[in-house]
Amino acid sequence: MNKLVLIAGGSTLVYACLAWMMAVLPGVELSKVPAGPGVQPLTALQSEGREVYVANGCSYCHTQQVRPLNEDKVFGRPSAEGDFTYQTPELLGSERTGPDLTNIGMRQPSSVWQYIHLYNPRAVVSESIMPSFNWMFDVIHQAPAGVTSVPLPKGYAPAHGVVVPSHEAQALIAYLASLKQPPVSEAEAASGDQAMADMASPTTRTSAPASANLAPPVGGYDAAKGAALFTANCSACHQASGEGLPGAFPSLKGDAVVNNDDATKHIHVVLNGLHDAKVGGVVYGSAMPPFAGSLSDVEVADIIDYERSSWGNHGKPVIAAQVTAERGKAK
Amino acid sequence: MSTVATTVFDDGRASPTSATAAGGLFDRDLILKFMAAGAFWLVFAPTVGAIVAIKFNYYDFLGHVSWLSWGRLRPVHVMGVVFGGFSTTVIGLTYFIVPRLCGVPMYKPQWGYSIFWGWNIALVAGFVSLMLGYNSGIEAGEFPLWVSIPVEIVLCMVAIQVLVTIKRRTEPRLYVSLWYMAAAYIWTALNYAFGHFILPYSMPGVNNAAMHGLYIHYVVGLWITPIGLAVAYYFLPLAAKRPLYSHKLSLVGFWALAFFYPFVGTHHYIYSPIPYWTQTIAIVASMMLIIPVWTVVQNFYGTFVGGWKNFQESYAAKFIVIGALYYLLGCFQGSTEALREMQRLTHFTDFVIGHSHLTVFGTFVIWATAGMYWVTPRLARRELYSKGLAQWHYWLTVAGFSVMAGDLTLQGMMQGTMLQAGTDFVESMVAMKPYWIIRSLAGIVMDVGAALGFWNLYMTIRHGKLIEMPAAVPVDYLPEPKWS
């Protein structure tokens, strides 16, 4: 009998005390953290989308936490406590079969891209292994007024009819669009860097890959970097072949702006984005996002030069100073 | 016969009451029902696993219908192995082990059948709910409320049965299996409620993640591990036909487990915004887990040393020994994985999936399987239906599983290295494709092994050769079938 009390009572006591220490204490500490600046609760539609996200297991393949590590920089700034204030249950996730989505609303703001990708990821990322979620769409004879159909490329579109997103898909994409990291204050950013310095050991920090903000090679265009930057920022829409997706994203192959020796417009589009314009005689329903906020002048020049010298294009190369000048004009 | 029952105790003292209790100590029919259900889930859940694995390379395989999509089936696989296959089997074994070690029948034995049906119907409802998209969002705690409530009731009922039976026992000694079982049921009745009734609905933010880390590791550390160890510690001396190497050592292991496990949960969130000091404690505790693991491995191999002949002749023994080997590997892997540098490399990759398979399947499901091999023919009072099928089960499991664990570990380190070197994400994903094919093939090999093995046990119950019984059969008589 006494032994039973020892085992049952003792082990439960140990459990309770330690759980207190490991969960309740940090919990108290964490619950004092206010929402970060700019962190908003979700709207009704967005939280519905979050439920769709949970129900369909997106979080088994996608994390929503950016670690203060070099290799995570592509996904955004390191996550802070205040980012998560309105989230129950948490979706930090445990595995990255696909990329982190903390900042996907910023990285891929085009809902047209999101719809195509959700319908069949291979339509925009040919190597993707992400499952297709095409049952979240309806195939109907003709899109009703006010609803735009998803401009699927040939080979992915159904043989007859047009594809429109269901309410479920619309809520999900609204949720994805809400996933944007608000910038942190200067002080917090500094402490984030400090945390990074603390966490990454000196050896790995110095051996970490040359990141994009290292000094550029002088005197022109770094082809490898241009290609890598194009892959990371542009090929999701314009595709690695530069040919885009008919009806959704324009081809840059043989494109007038890309081949024009006066690069002003080209630079302007990459910095500021483009919408409702006519490209090659077509008006695209989707928009081109601006990159002024995420790419440096040197990076923009590298990408532009890559576009101007690839896929048979022969536009005159640009230099970073031209980008700087164009950026200055916007102000 | 009674020599087998008595070798459980390290001092070789007989359990005085076990053979004489009127009306029998345990319910053969109930336990066999549990074994059959457990075997069914142990084929079902890994098959779902193979389907989700195949979908990595063949995206359209069973695609295009919501309820067969990857994201819906993935929790069915994980919950199916943990709560379906593993838990059903060990709850059944509880009804065998506890009365035998206590010398009295289970408290309220009539509850057993309600528990059996309640539990299995709840599981079916759980898997259907998940496939319909009712997911609470807490990984490893996904069952929605209408499934969790009956599951929680069952856990509490078994906990009460176990505790009251231990209290009423006539056997003065408490063998280590009872320690583990009593603790596992209490801990889990609490933890399950925490993970399913509180976490999905309250405590927003990183707080929720800190708690989730705790919950998810408690499922492993305070349910799967202790209940699995209870089973293994019980059947080890029986299968080896030798007394346990050291009962004291096993108790050291028990307290080390109770003490270190509550700390380790946060190691799922290293580099997250959870306070840095809790992360550090979690890492240290994860290293300390080497202690309970070492006590188990030393005890298990210590028991077998000098008695390998019995190892040759019992599939229960074979599964226990191979499980102990995977336990050592898996826990060593888990401890190092918690270190910051290692975590940086491997976290978010398939390395982690490799670790969970090595521990949950490689160790604990395999030990539960060992228990099944020991119990089924004895309770059915029949010879094992086919030695050949058992042999296939064993070797396909070992071969398939070793390849899978190695493959996942390797590919995780590879992808981690690529990403650290700045490789584009999609490019690193493309590099994983061949490894995913190997993983699927290895998984299918394991599934085929399991299907053959559990078919074998089912056929044993149905058509195994009847063992000749003595003239006056005591109620609890257990024959000595070959190979189990």
Side-chain angles (χ1 to χ4, degrees), chain B residues 71-101:
Chain B
R72 302 262 180 105
L73 289 182
R74 203 265 201 185
V76 174
H77 169 60
V78 176
M79 296 298 267
V81 171
V82 171
F83 290 99
F86 176 75
S87 300
T88 309
T89 309
V90 293
I91 292 175
L93 293 172
T94 303
Y95 285 104
F96 182 72
I97 295 173
V98 170
R100 292 245 306 171
L101 286 175

PDB file of all heavy atoms in Angstrom, chain B residues 71-101:
ATOM      1  N   GLY B  71      -2.503  15.601 -46.282  1.00  0.00           N
ATOM      2  CA  GLY B  71      -2.626  16.308 -45.010  1.00  0.00           C
ATOM      3  C   GLY B  71      -3.697  15.732 -44.087  1.00  0.00           C
ATOM      4  O   GLY B  71      -3.654  15.933 -42.875  1.00  0.00           O
ATOM      5  N   ARG B  72      -4.666  15.023 -44.660  1.00  0.00           N
ATOM      6  CA  ARG B  72      -5.693  14.402 -43.822  1.00  0.00           C
ATOM      7  C   ARG B  72      -5.219  13.040 -43.322  1.00  0.00           C
ATOM      8  O   ARG B  72      -5.554  12.618 -42.226  1.00  0.00           O
ATOM      9  CB  ARG B  72      -6.991  14.214 -44.620  1.00  0.00           C
ATOM     10  CG  ARG B  72      -7.556  15.512 -45.198  1.00  0.00           C
ATOM     11  CD  ARG B  72      -8.654  16.073 -44.332  1.00  0.00           C
ATOM     12  NE  ARG B  72      -9.194  17.304 -44.881  1.00  0.00           N
ATOM     13  CZ  ARG B  72     -10.383  17.392 -45.504  1.00  0.00           C
ATOM     14  NH1 ARG B  72     -11.132  16.314 -45.649  1.00  0.00           N
ATOM     15  NH2 ARG B  72     -10.797  18.544 -45.967  1.00  0.00           N
ATOM     16  N   LEU B  73      -4.461  12.338 -44.153  1.00  0.00           N
ATOM     17  CA  LEU B  73      -4.039  10.985 -43.763  1.00  0.00           C
ATOM     18  C   LEU B  73      -2.856  10.984 -42.800  1.00  0.00           C
ATOM     19  O   LEU B  73      -2.675  10.055 -42.023  1.00  0.00           O
ATOM     20  CB  LEU B  73      -3.664  10.163 -45.007  1.00  0.00           C
ATOM     21  CG  LEU B  73      -4.834   9.747 -45.899  1.00  0.00           C
ATOM     22  CD1 LEU B  73      -4.335   8.905 -47.050  1.00  0.00           C
ATOM     23  CD2 LEU B  73      -5.880   8.971 -45.107  1.00  0.00           C
ATOM     24  N   ARG B  74      -2.054  12.026 -42.860  1.00  0.00           N
ATOM     25  CA  ARG B  74      -0.846  12.048 -42.034  1.00  0.00           C
ATOM     26  C   ARG B  74      -1.168  11.898 -40.543  1.00  0.00           C
ATOM     27  O   ARG B  74      -0.575  11.042 -39.867  1.00  0.00           O
ATOM     28  CB  ARG B  74      -0.076  13.336 -42.327  1.00  0.00           C
ATOM     29  CG  ARG B  74       1.393  13.252 -41.995  1.00  0.00           C
ATOM     30  CD  ARG B  74       1.666  13.786 -40.640  1.00  0.00           C
ATOM     31  NE  ARG B  74       3.079  14.162 -40.523  1.00  0.00           N
ATOM     32  CZ  ARG B  74       3.616  14.577 -39.390  1.00  0.00           C
ATOM     33  NH1 ARG B  74       2.887  14.669 -38.320  1.00  0.00           N
ATOM     34  NH2 ARG B  74       4.890  14.899 -39.340  1.00  0.00           N
ATOM     35  N   PRO B  75      -2.120  12.667 -39.985  1.00  0.00           N
ATOM     36  CA  PRO B  75      -2.436  12.433 -38.574  1.00  0.00           C
ATOM     37  C   PRO B  75      -3.083  11.065 -38.325  1.00  0.00           C
ATOM     38  O   PRO B  75      -2.958  10.521 -37.229  1.00  0.00           O
ATOM     39  CB  PRO B  75      -3.394  13.577 -38.214  1.00  0.00           C
ATOM     40  CG  PRO B  75      -3.900  14.100 -39.504  1.00  0.00           C
ATOM     41  CD  PRO B  75      -2.833  13.843 -40.520  1.00  0.00           C
ATOM     42  N   VAL B  76      -3.778  10.518 -39.337  1.00  0.00           N
ATOM     43  CA  VAL B  76      -4.351   9.182 -39.154  1.00  0.00           C
ATOM     44  C   VAL B  76      -3.211   8.178 -38.945  1.00  0.00           C
ATOM     45  O   VAL B  76      -3.293   7.280 -38.102  1.00  0.00           O
ATOM     46  CB  VAL B  76      -5.217   8.775 -40.373  1.00  0.00           C
ATOM     47  CG1 VAL B  76      -5.681   7.334 -40.245  1.00  0.00           C
ATOM     48  CG2 VAL B  76      -6.403   9.708 -40.515  1.00  0.00           C
ATOM     49  N   HIS B  77      -2.135   8.368 -39.695  1.00  0.00           N
ATOM     50  CA  HIS B  77      -0.988   7.475 -39.538  1.00  0.00           C
ATOM     51  C   HIS B  77      -0.391   7.585 -38.139  1.00  0.00           C
ATOM     52  O   HIS B  77      -0.197   6.587 -37.442  1.00  0.00           O
ATOM     53  CB  HIS B  77       0.067   7.798 -40.595  1.00  0.00           C
ATOM     54  CG  HIS B  77       1.384   7.129 -40.373  1.00  0.00           C
ATOM     55  ND1 HIS B  77       1.522   5.755 -40.324  1.00  0.00           N
ATOM     56  CD2 HIS B  77       2.627   7.625 -40.155  1.00  0.00           C
ATOM     57  CE1 HIS B  77       2.791   5.453 -40.102  1.00  0.00           C
ATOM     58  NE2 HIS B  77       3.480   6.570 -39.982  1.00  0.00           N
ATOM     59  N   VAL B  78      -0.108   8.819 -37.712  1.00  0.00           N
ATOM     60  CA  VAL B  78       0.586   8.994 -36.433  1.00  0.00           C
ATOM     61  C   VAL B  78      -0.317   8.584 -35.262  1.00  0.00           C
ATOM     62  O   VAL B  78       0.077   7.781 -34.401  1.00  0.00           O
ATOM     63  CB  VAL B  78       1.055  10.454 -36.270  1.00  0.00           C
ATOM     64  CG1 VAL B  78       1.682  10.657 -34.907  1.00  0.00           C
ATOM     65  CG2 VAL B  78       2.050  10.803 -37.361  1.00  0.00           C
ATOM     66  N   MET B  79      -1.537   9.088 -35.246  1.00  0.00           N
ATOM     67  CA  MET B  79      -2.452   8.718 -34.161  1.00  0.00           C
ATOM     68  C   MET B  79      -2.772   7.224 -34.249  1.00  0.00           C
ATOM     69  O   MET B  79      -2.996   6.566 -33.226  1.00  0.00           O
ATOM     70  CB  MET B  79      -3.744   9.534 -34.243  1.00  0.00           C
ATOM     71  CG  MET B  79      -3.544  11.025 -34.050  1.00  0.00           C
ATOM     72  SD  MET B  79      -2.867  11.454 -32.431  1.00  0.00           S
ATOM     73  CE  MET B  79      -4.355  11.769 -31.510  1.00  0.00           C
ATOM     74  N   GLY B  80      -2.809   6.707 -35.475  1.00  0.00           N
ATOM     75  CA  GLY B  80      -3.115   5.291 -35.669  1.00  0.00           C
ATOM     76  C   GLY B  80      -2.048   4.386 -35.073  1.00  0.00           C
ATOM     77  O   GLY B  80      -2.352   3.357 -34.470  1.00  0.00           O
ATOM     78  N   VAL B  81      -0.796   4.764 -35.217  1.00  0.00           N
ATOM     79  CA  VAL B  81       0.264   3.938 -34.635  1.00  0.00           C
ATOM     80  C   VAL B  81       0.280   4.115 -33.118  1.00  0.00           C
ATOM     81  O   VAL B  81       0.306   3.142 -32.371  1.00  0.00           O
ATOM     82  CB  VAL B  81       1.649   4.299 -35.235  1.00  0.00           C
ATOM     83  CG1 VAL B  81       2.753   3.603 -34.462  1.00  0.00           C
ATOM     84  CG2 VAL B  81       1.700   3.919 -36.695  1.00  0.00           C
ATOM     85  N   VAL B  82       0.216   5.367 -32.672  1.00  0.00           N
ATOM     86  CA  VAL B  82       0.387   5.632 -31.244  1.00  0.00           C
ATOM     87  C   VAL B  82      -0.820   5.143 -30.442  1.00  0.00           C
ATOM     88  O   VAL B  82      -0.681   4.357 -29.506  1.00  0.00           O
ATOM     89  CB  VAL B  82       0.622   7.139 -30.993  1.00  0.00           C
ATOM     90  CG1 VAL B  82       0.589   7.448 -29.505  1.00  0.00           C
ATOM     91  CG2 VAL B  82       1.955   7.558 -31.588  1.00  0.00           C
ATOM     92  N   PHE B  83      -2.012   5.605 -30.825  1.00  0.00           N
ATOM     93  CA  PHE B  83      -3.186   5.242 -30.025  1.00  0.00           C
ATOM     94  C   PHE B  83      -3.870   3.985 -30.548  1.00  0.00           C
ATOM     95  O   PHE B  83      -4.481   3.257 -29.795  1.00  0.00           O
ATOM     96  CB  PHE B  83      -4.159   6.423 -29.949  1.00  0.00           C
ATOM     97  CG  PHE B  83      -3.623   7.548 -29.106  1.00  0.00           C
ATOM     98  CD1 PHE B  83      -3.030   8.651 -29.687  1.00  0.00           C
ATOM     99  CD2 PHE B  83      -3.670   7.470 -27.727  1.00  0.00           C
ATOM    100  CE1 PHE B  83      -2.493   9.677 -28.904  1.00  0.00           C
ATOM    101  CE2 PHE B  83      -3.134   8.479 -26.945  1.00  0.00           C
ATOM    102  CZ  PHE B  83      -2.550   9.578 -27.530  1.00  0.00           C
ATOM    103  N   GLY B  84      -3.777   3.749 -31.860  1.00  0.00           N
ATOM    104  CA  GLY B  84      -4.386   2.544 -32.402  1.00  0.00           C
ATOM    105  C   GLY B  84      -3.542   1.321 -32.113  1.00  0.00           C
ATOM    106  O   GLY B  84      -3.786   0.573 -31.174  1.00  0.00           O
ATOM    107  N   GLY B  85      -2.503   1.119 -32.923  1.00  0.00           N
ATOM    108  CA  GLY B  85      -1.730  -0.115 -32.831  1.00  0.00           C
ATOM    109  C   GLY B  85      -1.056  -0.326 -31.491  1.00  0.00           C
ATOM    110  O   GLY B  85      -1.276  -1.334 -30.810  1.00  0.00           O
ATOM    111  N   PHE B  86      -0.269   0.643 -31.081  1.00  0.00           N
ATOM    112  CA  PHE B  86       0.515   0.459 -29.870  1.00  0.00           C
ATOM    113  C   PHE B  86      -0.370   0.404 -28.628  1.00  0.00           C
ATOM    114  O   PHE B  86      -0.303  -0.538 -27.828  1.00  0.00           O
ATOM    115  CB  PHE B  86       1.554   1.572 -29.743  1.00  0.00           C
ATOM    116  CG  PHE B  86       2.339   1.523 -28.469  1.00  0.00           C
ATOM    117  CD1 PHE B  86       3.328   0.563 -28.303  1.00  0.00           C
ATOM    118  CD2 PHE B  86       2.078   2.406 -27.435  1.00  0.00           C
ATOM    119  CE1 PHE B  86       4.045   0.486 -27.116  1.00  0.00           C
ATOM    120  CE2 PHE B  86       2.787   2.346 -26.256  1.00  0.00           C
ATOM    121  CZ  PHE B  86       3.774   1.381 -26.097  1.00  0.00           C
ATOM    122  N   SER B  87      -1.233   1.410 -28.456  1.00  0.00           N
ATOM    123  CA  SER B  87      -1.978   1.506 -27.202  1.00  0.00           C
ATOM    124  C   SER B  87      -2.984   0.375 -27.043  1.00  0.00           C
ATOM    125  O   SER B  87      -3.159  -0.151 -25.940  1.00  0.00           O
ATOM    126  CB  SER B  87      -2.685   2.858 -27.105  1.00  0.00           C
ATOM    127  OG  SER B  87      -1.734   3.891 -27.156  1.00  0.00           O
ATOM    128  N   THR B  88      -3.676   0.003 -28.131  1.00  0.00           N
ATOM    129  CA  THR B  88      -4.641  -1.088 -28.015  1.00  0.00           C
ATOM    130  C   THR B  88      -3.936  -2.349 -27.517  1.00  0.00           C
ATOM    131  O   THR B  88      -4.427  -3.038 -26.613  1.00  0.00           O
ATOM    132  CB  THR B  88      -5.293  -1.359 -29.388  1.00  0.00           C
ATOM    133  OG1 THR B  88      -5.774  -0.128 -29.898  1.00  0.00           O
ATOM    134  CG2 THR B  88      -6.421  -2.357 -29.271  1.00  0.00           C
ATOM    135  N   THR B  89      -2.782  -2.627 -28.091  1.00  0.00           N
ATOM    136  CA  THR B  89      -2.045  -3.823 -27.695  1.00  0.00           C
ATOM    137  C   THR B  89      -1.621  -3.763 -26.235  1.00  0.00           C
ATOM    138  O   THR B  89      -1.813  -4.720 -25.482  1.00  0.00           O
ATOM    139  CB  THR B  89      -0.792  -3.989 -28.586  1.00  0.00           C
ATOM    140  OG1 THR B  89      -1.196  -3.902 -29.946  1.00  0.00           O
ATOM    141  CG2 THR B  89      -0.107  -5.303 -28.331  1.00  0.00           C
ATOM    142  N   VAL B  90      -1.069  -2.626 -25.825  1.00  0.00           N
ATOM    143  CA  VAL B  90      -0.552  -2.592 -24.449  1.00  0.00           C
ATOM    144  C   VAL B  90      -1.679  -2.539 -23.420  1.00  0.00           C
ATOM    145  O   VAL B  90      -1.526  -3.058 -22.323  1.00  0.00           O
ATOM    146  CB  VAL B  90       0.457  -1.449 -24.205  1.00  0.00           C
ATOM    147  CG1 VAL B  90       1.732  -1.675 -24.994  1.00  0.00           C
ATOM    148  CG2 VAL B  90      -0.136  -0.093 -24.516  1.00  0.00           C
ATOM    149  N   ILE B  91      -2.822  -1.956 -23.776  1.00  0.00           N
ATOM    150  CA  ILE B  91      -3.947  -2.007 -22.830  1.00  0.00           C
ATOM    151  C   ILE B  91      -4.365  -3.475 -22.654  1.00  0.00           C
ATOM    152  O   ILE B  91      -4.595  -3.943 -21.543  1.00  0.00           O
ATOM    153  CB  ILE B  91      -5.128  -1.140 -23.312  1.00  0.00           C
ATOM    154  CG1 ILE B  91      -4.747   0.336 -23.256  1.00  0.00           C
ATOM    155  CG2 ILE B  91      -6.358  -1.382 -22.430  1.00  0.00           C
ATOM    156  CD1 ILE B  91      -5.799   1.271 -23.819  1.00  0.00           C
ATOM    157  N   GLY B  92      -4.425  -4.203 -23.768  1.00  0.00           N
ATOM    158  CA  GLY B  92      -4.750  -5.629 -23.673  1.00  0.00           C
ATOM    159  C   GLY B  92      -3.748  -6.365 -22.795  1.00  0.00           C
ATOM    160  O   GLY B  92      -4.124  -7.165 -21.926  1.00  0.00           O
ATOM    161  N   LEU B  93      -2.463  -6.064 -22.989  1.00  0.00           N
ATOM    162  CA  LEU B  93      -1.435  -6.746 -22.197  1.00  0.00           C
ATOM    163  C   LEU B  93      -1.534  -6.361 -20.721  1.00  0.00           C
ATOM    164  O   LEU B  93      -1.171  -7.142 -19.831  1.00  0.00           O
ATOM    165  CB  LEU B  93      -0.040  -6.434 -22.748  1.00  0.00           C
ATOM    166  CG  LEU B  93       0.243  -7.017 -24.148  1.00  0.00           C
ATOM    167  CD1 LEU B  93       1.570  -6.500 -24.697  1.00  0.00           C
ATOM    168  CD2 LEU B  93       0.241  -8.541 -24.118  1.00  0.00           C
ATOM    169  N   THR B  94      -2.032  -5.144 -20.457  1.00  0.00           N
ATOM    170  CA  THR B  94      -2.234  -4.721 -19.072  1.00  0.00           C
ATOM    171  C   THR B  94      -3.156  -5.698 -18.340  1.00  0.00           C
ATOM    172  O   THR B  94      -2.925  -6.029 -17.169  1.00  0.00           O
ATOM    173  CB  THR B  94      -2.869  -3.306 -19.044  1.00  0.00           C
ATOM    174  OG1 THR B  94      -2.014  -2.414 -19.760  1.00  0.00           O
ATOM    175  CG2 THR B  94      -3.041  -2.822 -17.620  1.00  0.00           C
ATOM    176  N   TYR B  95      -4.207  -6.150 -19.060  1.00  0.00           N
ATOM    177  CA  TYR B  95      -5.154  -7.080 -18.438  1.00  0.00           C
ATOM    178  C   TYR B  95      -4.536  -8.444 -18.146  1.00  0.00           C
ATOM    179  O   TYR B  95      -5.110  -9.268 -17.449  1.00  0.00           O
ATOM    180  CB  TYR B  95      -6.393  -7.251 -19.328  1.00  0.00           C
ATOM    181  CG  TYR B  95      -7.291  -6.043 -19.267  1.00  0.00           C
ATOM    182  CD1 TYR B  95      -7.315  -5.127 -20.311  1.00  0.00           C
ATOM    183  CD2 TYR B  95      -8.080  -5.811 -18.153  1.00  0.00           C
ATOM    184  CE1 TYR B  95      -8.124  -4.002 -20.244  1.00  0.00           C
ATOM    185  CE2 TYR B  95      -8.880  -4.694 -18.082  1.00  0.00           C
ATOM    186  CZ  TYR B  95      -8.902  -3.794 -19.129  1.00  0.00           C
ATOM    187  OH  TYR B  95      -9.686  -2.692 -19.039  1.00  0.00           O
ATOM    188  N   PHE B  96      -3.392  -8.696 -18.713  1.00  0.00           N
ATOM    189  CA  PHE B  96      -2.683  -9.937 -18.439  1.00  0.00           C
ATOM    190  C   PHE B  96      -1.647  -9.735 -17.340  1.00  0.00           C
ATOM    191  O   PHE B  96      -1.554 -10.488 -16.373  1.00  0.00           O
ATOM    192  CB  PHE B  96      -2.001 -10.414 -19.724  1.00  0.00           C
ATOM    193  CG  PHE B  96      -1.272 -11.719 -19.591  1.00  0.00           C
ATOM    194  CD1 PHE B  96      -1.975 -12.912 -19.471  1.00  0.00           C
ATOM    195  CD2 PHE B  96       0.117 -11.759 -19.586  1.00  0.00           C
ATOM    196  CE1 PHE B  96      -1.313 -14.121 -19.348  1.00  0.00           C
ATOM    197  CE2 PHE B  96       0.786 -12.965 -19.464  1.00  0.00           C
ATOM    198  CZ  PHE B  96       0.070 -14.145 -19.342  1.00  0.00           C
ATOM    199  N   ILE B  97      -0.885  -8.655 -17.504  1.00  0.00           N
ATOM    200  CA  ILE B  97       0.280  -8.451 -16.648  1.00  0.00           C
ATOM    201  C   ILE B  97      -0.119  -8.079 -15.224  1.00  0.00           C
ATOM    202  O   ILE B  97       0.393  -8.638 -14.253  1.00  0.00           O
ATOM    203  CB  ILE B  97       1.182  -7.354 -17.254  1.00  0.00           C
ATOM    204  CG1 ILE B  97       1.744  -7.834 -18.594  1.00  0.00           C
ATOM    205  CG2 ILE B  97       2.292  -6.979 -16.304  1.00  0.00           C
ATOM    206  CD1 ILE B  97       2.515  -6.777 -19.354  1.00  0.00           C
ATOM    207  N   VAL B  98      -1.049  -7.137 -15.085  1.00  0.00           N
ATOM    208  CA  VAL B  98      -1.371  -6.632 -13.750  1.00  0.00           C
ATOM    209  C   VAL B  98      -1.923  -7.733 -12.826  1.00  0.00           C
ATOM    210  O   VAL B  98      -1.408  -7.917 -11.722  1.00  0.00           O
ATOM    211  CB  VAL B  98      -2.310  -5.405 -13.836  1.00  0.00           C
ATOM    212  CG1 VAL B  98      -2.839  -5.015 -12.471  1.00  0.00           C
ATOM    213  CG2 VAL B  98      -1.555  -4.239 -14.464  1.00  0.00           C
ATOM    214  N   PRO B  99      -2.935  -8.494 -13.262  1.00  0.00           N
ATOM    215  CA  PRO B  99      -3.413  -9.548 -12.345  1.00  0.00           C
ATOM    216  C   PRO B  99      -2.333 -10.585 -12.044  1.00  0.00           C
ATOM    217  O   PRO B  99      -2.229 -11.060 -10.915  1.00  0.00           O
ATOM    218  CB  PRO B  99      -4.566 -10.199 -13.105  1.00  0.00           C
ATOM    219  CG  PRO B  99      -4.898  -9.296 -14.230  1.00  0.00           C
ATOM    220  CD  PRO B  99      -3.712  -8.451 -14.504  1.00  0.00           C
ATOM    221  N   ARG B 100      -1.539 -10.928 -13.037  1.00  0.00           N
ATOM    222  CA  ARG B 100      -0.506 -11.944 -12.800  1.00  0.00           C
ATOM    223  C   ARG B 100       0.526 -11.465 -11.788  1.00  0.00           C
ATOM    224  O   ARG B 100       1.021 -12.241 -10.978  1.00  0.00           O
ATOM    225  CB  ARG B 100       0.198 -12.268 -14.125  1.00  0.00           C
ATOM    226  CG  ARG B 100      -0.713 -12.993 -15.107  1.00  0.00           C
ATOM    227  CD  ARG B 100      -0.264 -14.385 -15.407  1.00  0.00           C
ATOM    228  NE  ARG B 100       1.103 -14.448 -15.859  1.00  0.00           N
ATOM    229  CZ  ARG B 100       1.756 -15.581 -16.010  1.00  0.00           C
ATOM    230  NH1 ARG B 100       1.166 -16.734 -15.757  1.00  0.00           N
ATOM    231  NH2 ARG B 100       3.006 -15.569 -16.419  1.00  0.00           N
ATOM    232  N   LEU B 101       0.852 -10.195 -11.827  1.00  0.00           N
ATOM    233  CA  LEU B 101       1.868  -9.706 -10.891  1.00  0.00           C
ATOM    234  C   LEU B 101       1.277  -9.389  -9.528  1.00  0.00           C
ATOM    235  O   LEU B 101       1.999  -9.326  -8.535  1.00  0.00           O
ATOM    236  CB  LEU B 101       2.566  -8.467 -11.452  1.00  0.00           C
ATOM    237  CG  LEU B 101       3.563  -8.724 -12.581  1.00  0.00           C
ATOM    238  CD1 LEU B 101       4.083  -7.417 -13.123  1.00  0.00           C
ATOM    239  CD2 LEU B 101       4.720  -9.593 -12.099  1.00  0.00           C
TER     240      LEU B 101
END
